[in-house]
Amino acid sequence: MYRKADLSPILEELDATDGLDGLQAVSAGLRDALGIDHIVYHWVDGAGDQYGCGTYPEDWIRRYIDKQYLRVDPVIVGCFQRFHPVDWKAVDWSGKAAREFLTDALDNGVGNQGYSIPVRGPSGQFALFTANHNCSDEEWPEFKETYGHDLILIAHYFNRKALDFEENRAPQPVRALSPREVDALTFLALGYSRAQVAHSLSISEHTLRVYIESARFKLGALNTTHAIAKALSQGLIVM
C-alpha cells in the first residue's frame, strides 16, 4: 500500500518556477516524492514540434525524436482522442509498429506501467503529463488510486507554466466565478467531501451541487476534478 507523500512543497516550487530548467528540477523532485521511475511533460504543437521536460534517459529522448516515434506512439494517439487520464494498458498495442516501439522503449529505460493525462490549452495546444514506473499489474492500481487526483492537478500546473514560458502568447480570457463557486471549488481542492463542504458553507448538498455545476459550465470542464484543475491553472482559486 502506498503511503501518500506531502506534495505541497512540489506545488510551491512549481509555482515559483520561471523557466524550463525549473520545470526539469520539479519533474525530478516529483518523481522522487512519488517513489516512481519517471515524470514527463510532453507538449506537441500543431506543426509536430515537440517541447518538454522530464526524467527519461537522454538517449531515449534523442532516439524518440530521431526515429519520429511521435507518428507511431500509441499513447499519443490514444490520449489525443480522449480527455480523461489514460492507463497505458488500455491503449491499443496490437499493431506491429506499436509493438516494436514498446520493445524499444522498454529496452531504453521506460517503465512497463504508465499513466498519461491529456491537457488541452489555447489555440489547439495539446500536451501529456505522464507518470511512468516499473512494477506489477497488482501494485500500479494502488499508485493510481493514491495519486490520481493529485496528478491531474499537477498536470494542469505544469501546462500553465509551459504556456507562461511561450513567447508572444496572448493571455486567455477568464470567466469570473461567483464567491460561492470559488469557495466550493477551494474546499473540494483541499480534499473535503461534498457533505463537509456543504456543512462548512451552511448550505444543502443540493445547493452545493448547483454551485459546482455552474462553475464547471463556466470553466468548460468535463467533471468536478477537471473544473478544480482549470480553476487552479487560471488562478481563479488559490491553494
Side-chain angles (χ1 to χ4, degrees), residues 197-214:
V197 176
H199 176 74
S200 297
L201 298 178
S202 300
I203 58 177
S204 69
E205 289 192 49
H206 173 75
T207 301
L208 174 65
R209 186 161 55 248
V210 172
Y211 288 134
I212 293 171
E213 288 302 304
S214 174

Side-chain angles (χ1 to χ4, degrees), residues 2-5 7 27-39 131-135 139-140 143 147:
Y2 280 89
R3 173 181 287 182
K4 190 167 184 179
L7 300 181
S27 299
L30 179 60
R31 171 202 61 194
D32 296 342
L34 295 175
I36 59 176
D37 291 336
H38 297 296
I39 284 290
N132 178 251
H133 193 41
N134 260 310
C135 66
E139 185 179 4
W140 190 239
F143 171 82
Y147 288 112

Side-chain angles (χ1 to χ4, degrees), residues 174-177 182 185-186 219 230-238:
V174 176
R175 297 189 67 180
L177 300 179
V182 170
L185 293 186
T186 299
L219 293 166
K230 295 191 75 169
L232 282 167
S233 69
Q234 296 177 20
L236 298 176
I237 61 174
V238 179

Side-chain angles (χ1 to χ4, degrees), residues 90-106:
V91 173
D92 182 8
W93 298 94
S94 60
K96 180 181 178 182
R99 294 195 303 271
E100 291 177 348
F101 165 75
L102 178 60
T103 299
D104 199 9
L106 295 174

Side-chain angles (χ1 to χ4, degrees), residues 151-189:
L151 289 172
I152 293 174
L153 295 177
I154 293 172
H156 284 82
Y157 263 113
F158 259 79
N159 199 60
R160 183 190 67 182
K161 280 294 181 180
L163 288 171
D164 286 344
F165 303 151
E166 185 187 11
E167 295 181 358
N168 303 319
R169 184 177 73 90
Q172 288 180 266
V174 176
R175 297 189 67 180
L177 300 179
S178 73
R180 277 304 202 194
E181 291 164 357
V182 170
D183 290 342
L185 293 186
T186 299
F187 278 119
L188 291 172

